[in-house]
Amino acid sequence: MGRLTTHVLDTASGKPAAGLKIELFRAGQDAPLKVIRTNADGRADAPLLEGGDFTSGQYELRFHAGEYLRAGGAALPDPAFLDVIPIRFGIADPAAHYHVPLLLSPYGYSTYRGS
């Protein structure tokens, strides 16, 4: 069964990014499909999409990095260099597992298709 998962690692602290707000959108839609906060391991407690809700198409995850970094005590300028990080990606095979992780610091990030 296909599913979408994510996790966030704070590379500046060397720890999982606990409590980071993530919104999931289907591309072109204004209302999020799901809004979560990461758990103590920097992960969602359940897949963001799975089963009949997991269909092919374009999606976007919005990671609220500025809010998370400020809450952790980071001294960020106003406006922050990174605030909300959007990652737009495509799901071609709704039977596959798509994992979209984020490696985060106050001045940079990276992502990849994980497993």
Side-chain angles (χ1 to χ4, degrees), residues 64-89:
H64 290 256
E67 173 187 286
Y68 161 79
L69 292 165
R70 282 187 188 93
L76 301 179
D78 188 20
F81 181 70
L82 295 174
D83 190 15
V84 177
I85 299 170
I87 299 175
R88 186 168 283 198
F89 58 96

Side-chain angles (χ1 to χ4, degrees), residues 87-100:
I87 299 175
R88 186 168 283 198
F89 58 96
I91 293 174
D93 180 3
H97 177 197
Y98 286 74
H99 184 67
V100 183

Side-chain angles (χ1 to χ4, degrees), residues 5-16:
T5 58
T6 188
H7 77 273
V8 185
L9 298 175
D10 181 337
T11 59
S13 71
K15 298 179 181 178

Side-chain angles (χ1 to χ4, degrees), residues 14-100:
K15 298 179 181 178
L20 189 140
K21 179 180 172 181
I22 302 170
E23 297 173 303
L24 171 67
F25 291 83
R26 186 162 180 99
Q29 294 185 344
D30 293 330
L33 296 172
K34 188 170 276 189
V35 179
I36 63 112
R37 289 207 180 259
T38 55
N39 62 23
D41 197 33
R43 298 178 182 274
D45 288 327
L48 297 173
L49 286 176
E50 64 182 333
D53 294 329
F54 188 67
T55 59
S56 62
Q58 291 285 320
Y59 292 85
E60 183 172 292
L61 287 168
R62 295 182 189 168
F63 297 87
H64 290 256
E67 173 187 286
Y68 161 79
L69 292 165
R70 282 187 188 93
L76 301 179
D78 188 20
F81 181 70
L82 295 174
D83 190 15
V84 177
I85 299 170
I87 299 175
R88 186 168 283 198
F89 58 96
I91 293 174
D93 180 3
H97 177 197
Y98 286 74
H99 184 67
V100 183

